[in-house]
Amino acid sequence: VVFSPYRNLLVATSLFTRMDPLAMGAMLALYRNKFPQQGKGDLLKFCTGFFLLVLPTYFPNVTAQTIHITWQYFSIGIGFTMILDASLSGKFKILHAILTNLLLVWLGKICYGLYVYHLVGIALAYELILLLLQKRIIVMPQDSPLLWCFAFFVALLITISLAWFSYWLMEKRFLKLKNRFSHISFSSNLTMMTIVFINQDAWGYIK
């Protein structure tokens, strides 16, 4: 697959390019649930994680889908995992304050929609800005950095709006279904009584 002319298959088939962020996040959650963060080495974790986030930017862009894509996503996944782990103890005050900010927490709730609809948001923003330029509602060169910033914020606003609507209309309803599969804990005595009654009924039916 690596040397296939269809190099985009790397993205879909390589474990390191797709599965690792989900797997590392799950493993971190399970590990820290059992062994709470004590705050040791938080600054080192943050610096290492930040370095791993920046490192892929010095290599070909992931959209080029070169051989580097097999480690670039992996590096980003490890980087974010280390940064999150550094914030869990709460002793890294600045990082903890940023990641527990109410706005970021809210964006985290709708983050799947941000991922799903970001291309739609970009496309709609592009069409809207072209229309505004044609109607001369806004007048500035198309290569203007100011126009790029305006396009970015319009695309971001559209994407957030779509993601919030999707979360409110669909995702929230599906999340409620998980309560039907919640684990219910019984006391040992109640469990034993239930087993006895079931066995008695089954024995009576057999006789």
Side-chain angles (χ1 to χ4, degrees):
V1 173
V2 172
F3 300 103
S4 167
Y6 306 102
R7 290 190 293 177
N8 61 313
L9 292 177
L10 275 173
V11 180
T13 58
S14 173
L15 175 66
F16 294 112
T17 61
R18 281 302 182 215
M19 184 60 187
D20 57 282
L22 177 62
M24 284 187 285
M27 287 189 292
L28 176 63
L30 292 172
Y31 179 75
R32 285 307 176 196
N33 186 52
K34 190 173 183 180
F35 303 101
Q37 170 66 286
Q38 301 297 322
K40 297 179 179 179
D42 284 349
L43 181 59
L44 178 61
K45 289 177 187 176
F46 172 77
C47 293
T48 305
F50 186 78
F51 170 76
L52 291 173
L53 290 181
V54 174
L55 181 62
T57 64
Y58 289 93
F59 292 84
N61 192 288
V62 292
T63 56
Q65 297 183 17
T66 64
I67 190 66
H68 295 287
I69 200 171
T70 56
W71 66 265
Q72 284 173 312
Y73 281 116
F74 189 60
S75 176
I76 293 169
I78 294 177
F80 274 118
T81 300
M82 297 188 74
I83 290 173
L84 286 173
D85 192 40
S87 72
L88 290 177
S89 68
K91 295 183 179 180
F92 197 158
K93 301 294 184 181
I94 297 176
L95 181 61
H96 185 73
I98 293 173
L99 294 181
T100 56
N101 179 272
L102 292 179
L103 177 60
L104 289 182
V105 172
W106 179 75
L107 288 174
K109 286 185 177 181
I110 64 171
C111 64
Y112 185 70
L114 296 177
Y115 163 70
V116 171
Y117 299 112
H118 77 280
L119 291 178
V120 178
I122 293 171
L124 290 176
Y126 178 78
E127 294 297 330
L128 177 61
I129 289 173
L130 279 182
L131 180 63
L132 293 175
L133 288 171
Q134 290 172 0
K135 299 289 186 180
R136 300 191 67 81
I137 297 175
I138 57 174
V139 180
M140 60 181 70
Q142 292 193 11
D143 58 350
S144 169
L146 184 60
L147 182 63
W148 185 91
C149 292
F150 178 67
F152 171 81
F153 283 109
V154 170
L156 182 62
L157 181 61
I158 293 173
T159 303
I160 290 175
S161 300
L162 291 173
W164 175 83
F165 184 73
S166 173
Y167 176 80
W168 177 78
L169 184 65
M170 293 184 291
E171 295 172 44
K172 199 171 182 181
R173 299 174 188 270
F174 279 99
L175 288 172
K176 289 180 180 179
L177 294 177
K178 70 180 182 180
N179 294 329
R180 298 185 181 183
F181 303 95
S182 298
H183 176 71
I184 302 175
S185 299
F186 292 97
S187 67
S188 58
N189 291 336
L190 180 58
T191 304
M192 289 302 298
M193 289 172 61
T194 304
I195 294 173
V196 169
F197 285 135
I198 291 174
N199 287 340
Q200 287 179 345
D201 289 343
W203 178 245
Y205 176 77
I206 293 172
K207 290 197 294 184

